Amino acid sequence: MQFLKGVGPNRAKLFAKLKIEIVQDLIAHFPFRHQVQGAPQPINTLTAGESATVIGHIVDAKLTGRRWKESVLALIEDETGECEIRWFNAAYMIDRLATMRRRPVRVHGRVRDVDGVAQFVNPRIEPAEDAAWLGADKDADARTDTGKPSGRALRARTVEQVSSGAVERHAGGGCCAGPSSGLPMPPAEGSRQKAEGRGQKQTSDQPTRGAHSPAAEKERLEPVYRSVEKLPSRAIAGVVQQALPQALREVEELFDDAYLSSRTLARRRSAIERMHRPTSLDDIPIARRRIAYDELFLMQLAIAMKRNHTLTVDRAIALPSSDAIDARIRRRFPFTMTSAQGRAVREIAADLARPRPMNRLLQGDVGSGKTVVALYAALVAIANRQQSAIMAPTEVLAEQHFHNVEKYLEGSRVRRVLLTGRTTAKQRTAALKAIDAGEMDLVIGTQALLEKDVTFRSLALVIVDEQHKFGVAQRGTIRSRGAANVLPHYLVMSATPIPRTLSMTVFGDLDVSILDELPPGRQPTKTFWAGPKGYADVWTMVKQRLAAGEQAFVVYPLVEESATMPLRAATREVEHIAKNVLPDSTVDLLHGKMTGKKKQEVMERFARGETQVLVCTTVIEVGVDVPNATVMVIQHADRYGLAALHQLRGRVGRGDRPAVCALLADKAGPLAQRRLGILCATTDGFRIAEEDLRLRGPGEILGTQQHGWPELRVANLIDDADLLDLAQRDALTLVRKDPKLAAPANAALRRELIARFRHRLAWIDVA
């Protein structure tokens, strides 16, 4: 990038922040929208309060005001008159305007009225001849109507008035017209001839006032790019326009004409060009469809090739089950599995019995019983004299898993251990020795399992809970701990339901098992949200529940108060809750900055019922299971995403009593109201996940760096669901015919696939 004209080493570093390192990255950095600039209009038709575009010449410019209130004031004129342009805190514009003398310029921005004079404030300005890729012709004369209701007509100073000295320039930098009405004033009859009669005959170096290229008479579509500080969209647009012609010559078409025609797809080179410089608004959806298809197809192609490799090349230890093993495992659970759990168990058992690695996603709503299914899978592996590992993202969740395992395996011969950052050095040394010797059957832990000194004798099954909370490299590390020349089976659990389109992309290489029902006896949680006027009623309800022997969570978004975020914090509010709001109840505090030991002590007191109210942060989002907790109060609920709110709500309603979740919001804007309304209307995690995807996008839900796939720059998993289906069908068909893309006709596709995923191919199987 640094060798492109106008870039250099320093600006190349700014481009790198946008992941633009080579020219191919640059032309793949598409505008996220196009701003329509209306056709240029005569200066004497400008209207206050509206955006407008004019073409003319700069006739004067100067710096005004004092240092702390500096501004640049310029005058631009065309054949109908003259108006002002003002830039605040932009002294550099003086030098830039000097380079534009004697050249037609294009100015676009909002117009205001300053003492009856039209003035642009901080507008965009550029040489008019640079606008070589303008859209369809518009009739500029049709823009002369000044009776628009959204603004009021301004009087424009005519060229004649300027030439005759009727304009007075004030010391303060303001400009005003001489005697005139407040109506738009056309140029005086024969003004140009009079000017020429005063010796101002035009030459090739002194262009006619207002003269500009035919392109300047057209409506313009200005690309707006995602940018970073010190590298604005305009600067990116300039570099793109300079590099695009040469870059387009290097673009390869991936498909033949018949393929494109049958799918109504534009040619690739044309689509890229029209995304950056459309000739009309109609170009954009056509170009966007082709770019979106390429993104989705290449991702689906990579997924299909990986799945094919797993089926035909990768090997794992077969872990067959039997009726006897199944019955022995089921006796460990003091309840009958739901039909959904039974279906998931059968799917997992079938995968484990094969000599190829299982790659399966187990997803279900909060409280649907995923831990039971995961433990069943682990016990199948152990029944085959192999080791299993369960990895959780937090100590709280790991300890919760271990607690449940201890409960179900009481009296069992299964050897198990918990390995976290809190494990003492002595305990850790003993555990590592036992794991390496194959004397430990089930290992449950956090990132501590990723340490280099953790070695397994025969790891055959890896279970990762809430895997999107781990980095791609971390998930790859745990999978590499299997025996030589074989991969462990891999089961991913998620309490955040995955929308269908997301499971086809980010989790597209995984088979999916869904737990879509809750265990018998679970009561749905009633949810409502309240503003400040309803807070008193909420606390009255909480007191009644506590008096009935139930327990409550009160969640805050911050641990400590912040100078930049005017939000209440848990450490500050816990005293207020204990003394003023719920003075007759026992109140405790839990947050992520506590030591592991302290957090465990707090949770154990709450689980035993010694604490009635737990004031906390989102540290309780996953892994907390207290059946007697029936009340959830979430402060500043408008600041959370849908998925986080749904996860927090899932901490209550885990027993046989009906639960309630109160969402408190001091101020909720339209988007926040929509989120809260969705949560109040349904407890269906899959519907909530779809809405969350629609509102926030996959990058925010999963974290782009966490899921390991390139960002979808153009495709939208909600709006392009049909295109995703088409891309998936096409990719599967191609891989069945040419699994390694070895055919000459697919050479361009192979090169593009490698270029697109050049840093990620190693992680496709764990992403």
Side-chain angles (χ1 to χ4, degrees):
M1 282 298 298
Q2 66 175 314
F3 300 110
L4 286 178
K5 182 180 178 181
V7 180
N10 292 333
R11 185 170 273 189
K13 293 177 182 178
L14 298 176
F15 274 105
K17 292 181 179 180
L18 294 168
K19 300 180 183 177
I20 299 174
E21 299 175 353
I22 58 178
V23 174
Q24 286 90 335
D25 297 333
L26 177 67
I27 65 171
H29 186 72
F30 297 109
F32 65 87
R33 66 182 175 90
H34 290 82
Q35 181 173 301
V36 180
Q37 291 186 8
Q41 64 189 83
I43 286 177
N44 73 340
T45 66
L46 295 176
T47 303
E50 294 190 351
S51 293
T53 303
V54 298
I55 301 287
H57 288 84
I58 300 296
V59 297
D60 193 15
K62 61 183 177 182
L63 194 62
T64 69
R66 301 186 178 184
R67 178 179 299 178
W68 53 90
K69 288 187 178 181
E70 271 185 348
S71 67
V72 171
L73 182 68
L75 298 176
I76 183 174
E77 67 176 23
D78 67 7
E79 293 182 341
T80 70
E82 183 183 64
C83 69
E84 295 179 352
I85 311 174
R86 187 180 290 277
W87 289 274
F88 292 97
N89 301 315
Y92 65 89
M93 285 301 301
I94 284 288
D95 294 331
R96 187 177 173 202
L97 291 173
T99 67
M100 296 182 179
R101 291 293 179 91
R102 299 185 179 184
R103 298 171 62 188
V105 296
R106 181 183 185 115
V107 177
H108 176 78
R110 197 162 187 83
V111 181
R112 69 175 182 176
D113 175 2
V114 179
D115 297 329
V117 175
Q119 184 183 92
F120 288 92
V121 179
N122 296 327
R124 175 166 184 170
I125 183 170
E126 59 190 336
E129 58 265 31
D130 285 355
W133 47 279
L134 303 173
D137 287 315
K138 300 288 182 183
D139 182 2
D141 293 336
R143 297 290 300 272
T144 59
D145 176 19
T146 60
K148 300 174 183 176
S150 60
R152 72 177 182 81
L154 305 177
R155 68 176 184 270
R157 290 160 306 187
T158 65
V159 175
E160 179 67 18
Q161 289 174 321
V162 175
S163 301
S164 64
V167 176
E168 176 184 359
R169 287 167 171 76
H170 293 278
C175 304
C176 67
S180 173
S181 70
L183 299 174
M185 185 178 296
E189 183 74 24
S191 60
R192 179 171 304 166
Q193 289 87 338
K194 293 180 183 179
E196 291 176 355
R198 288 192 292 272
Q200 297 180 0
K201 185 175 181 180
Q202 301 295 326
T203 68
S204 59
D205 291 331
Q206 189 176 7
T208 303
R209 290 188 179 103
H212 47 273
S213 68
E217 300 292 345
K218 304 173 185 176
E219 182 177 79
R220 176 172 181 173
L221 295 172
E222 178 188 351
V224 181
Y225 295 91
R226 187 165 55 88
S227 57
V228 294
E229 187 178 2
K230 296 183 180 180
L231 186 65
S233 173
R234 296 176 188 176
I236 296 172
V239 176
V240 169
Q241 294 309 311
Q242 181 253 129
L244 193 59
Q246 175 63 33
L248 287 173
R249 288 194 281 271
E250 305 297 323
V251 172
E252 287 188 285
E253 181 53 73
L254 306 178
F255 310 106
D256 60 35
D257 288 347
Y259 188 100
L260 297 176
S261 178
S262 65
R263 291 159 180 78
T264 322
L265 297 173
R267 286 181 174 275
R268 190 167 178 235
R269 186 176 298 173
S270 174
I272 292 172
E273 181 176 18
R274 292 309 174 208
M275 283 293 288
H276 289 291
R277 49 188 197 189
T279 58
S280 72
L281 287 171
D282 293 337
D283 283 347
I284 299 171
I286 296 172
R288 186 198 167 280
R289 175 179 164 80
R290 172 58 199 271
I291 302 301
Y293 176 85
D294 283 0
E295 287 185 334
L296 297 171
F297 176 80
L298 288 166
M299 179 178 282
Q300 291 301 308
L301 185 59
I303 290 169
M305 292 179 71
K306 175 55 192 172
R307 286 180 67 90
N308 183 72
H309 188 273
T310 299
L311 291 171
T312 59
V313 178
D314 289 344
R315 287 290 175 262
I317 297 172
L319 305 172
S321 185
S322 65
D323 291 343
I325 291 175
D326 176 74
R328 192 164 71 242
I329 294 175
R330 288 176 184 267
R331 283 198 297 270
R332 284 285 156 192
F333 304 118
F335 49 78
T336 301
M337 289 187 183
T338 65
S339 59
Q341 287 174 316
R343 182 177 63 247
V345 160
R346 289 191 297 274
E347 292 167 346
I348 291 170
D351 284 351
L352 293 176
R354 300 185 182 103
R356 58 176 176 79
M358 173 178 70
N359 280 293
R360 184 166 290 275
L361 167 65
L362 175 63
Q363 61 170 322
D365 222 334
V366 287
S368 59
K370 294 180 295 298
T371 302
V372 169
V373 175
L375 180 57
Y376 182 101
L379 292 177
V380 169
I382 294 167
N384 283 271
R385 302 185 183 282
Q386 301 296 320
Q387 293 173 302
S388 297
I390 300 176
M391 188 168 73
T394 66
E395 289 183 351
V396 169
L397 184 53
E399 288 164 357
Q400 185 70 48
H401 281 317
F402 190 74
H403 172 76
N404 287 330
V405 166
E406 287 288 280
K407 179 174 62 177
Y408 294 134
L409 297 185
E410 184 178 0
S412 167
R413 291 177 296 172
V414 174
R415 299 163 295 184
R416 61 262 186 197
V417 68
L418 175 66
L419 198 61
T420 70
R422 290 177 52 198
T423 306
T424 66
K426 183 177 180 180
Q427 291 172 329
R428 179 182 173 82
T429 299
L432 294 182
K433 183 178 180 181
I435 294 169
D436 183 54
E439 297 170 357
M440 198 60 67
D441 303 312
L442 177 59
V443 183
I444 299 172
T446 57
Q447 293 95 322
L449 297 184
L450 304 176
E451 299 295 331
K452 292 182 179 179
D453 57 353
V454 181
T455 57
F456 290 82
R457 179 70 172 268
S458 57
L459 179 62
L461 173 64
V462 172
I463 300 169
V464 179
D465 197 5
E466 297 296 322
Q467 80 149 2
H468 59 279
K469 294 182 183 291
F470 292 99
V472 175
Q474 290 177 311
R475 304 197 301 262
T477 298
I478 188 67
R479 291 199 71 186
S480 69
R481 300 291 168 83
N485 302 318
V486 294
L487 290 173
H489 296 279
Y490 189 53
L491 179 65
V492 177
M493 294 196 295
S494 176
T496 303
I498 311 297
R500 183 187 71 89
T501 52
L502 208 56
S503 66
M504 289 172 63
T505 51
V506 174
F507 298 101
D509 60 326
L510 302 177
D511 296 308
V512 179
S513 294
I514 297 176
L515 301 183
D516 52 7
E517 60 181 310
L518 296 178
R522 290 283 176 90
Q523 300 289 326
T525 299
K526 179 182 178 182
T527 307
F528 65 92
W529 70 281
K533 293 182 179 179
Y535 289 177
D537 292 336
V538 170
W539 293 120
T540 298
M541 177 273 296
V542 174
K543 291 175 183 177
Q544 293 171 347
R545 291 276 187 144
L546 297 176
E550 299 170 29
Q551 293 168 279
F553 295 100
V554 181
V555 181
Y556 288 87
L558 300 179
V559 175
E560 299 170 342
E561 289 185 333
S562 167
T564 58
M565 300 178 70
L567 305 175
R568 293 182 290 278
T571 52
R572 181 70 177 268
E573 292 296 313
V574 63
E575 186 176 354
H576 172 66
I577 294 290
K579 291 184 177 180
N580 304 318
V581 180
L582 302 171
D584 299 325
S585 303
T586 53
V587 180
D588 216 336
L589 174 68
L590 179 70
H591 58 76
K593 291 186 177 181
M594 290 178 168
T595 64
K597 182 179 180 181
K598 181 66 174 177
K599 282 188 288 187
Q600 186 66 20
E601 291 173 353
V602 171
M603 280 307 308
E604 287 176 356
R605 285 198 298 269
F606 190 66
R608 291 194 298 265
E610 297 172 10
T611 303
Q612 293 175 283
V613 180
L614 189 61
V615 175
C616 55
T617 61
T618 54
V619 69
I620 63 152
E621 184 179 344
V622 291
V624 175
D625 188 2
V626 181
N628 194 51
T630 60
V631 180
M632 173 67 66
V633 179
I634 304 176
Q635 300 276 2
H636 298 293
D638 53 306
R639 306 301 291 260
Y640 296 86
L642 268 174
L645 290 171
H646 184 57
Q647 287 291 312
L648 288 170
R649 178 172 62 181
R651 297 309 102 202
V652 296
R654 304 177 76 86
D656 55 3
R657 298 185 184 184
V660 63
C661 176
L663 310 172
L664 307 189
D666 293 352
K667 296 179 181 179
L671 186 60
Q673 289 184 30
R674 183 178 170 188
R675 284 199 303 270
L676 300 179
I678 292 168
L679 205 73
C680 294
T682 183
T683 57
D684 183 344
F686 290 94
R687 179 184 165 191
I688 290 170
E690 290 285 354
E691 291 296 333
D692 205 25
L693 177 64
R694 188 182 300 277
L695 291 173
R696 294 198 294 154
E700 285 192 50
I701 290 175
L702 293 171
T704 304
Q705 297 304 315
Q706 299 297 336
H707 63 64
W709 289 101
E711 179 183 358
L712 292 175
R713 303 187 183 212
V714 173
N716 181 295
L717 294 182
I718 293 293
D719 298 336
D720 296 320
D722 291 343
L723 201 61
L724 174 59
D725 288 333
L726 174 63
Q728 185 185 59
R729 290 196 300 271
D730 289 343
L732 291 173
T733 299
L734 177 60
V735 171
R736 279 195 294 268
K737 294 178 179 178
D738 187 7
K740 296 184 178 181
L741 301 183
N746 294 324
L749 264 176
R750 184 182 179 90
R751 286 190 291 269
E752 184 64 24
L753 188 70
I754 292 171
R756 185 70 62 97
F757 300 108
R758 59 184 181 270
H759 300 311
R760 300 174 174 88
L761 286 174
W763 300 116
I764 286 177
D765 62 335
V766 296

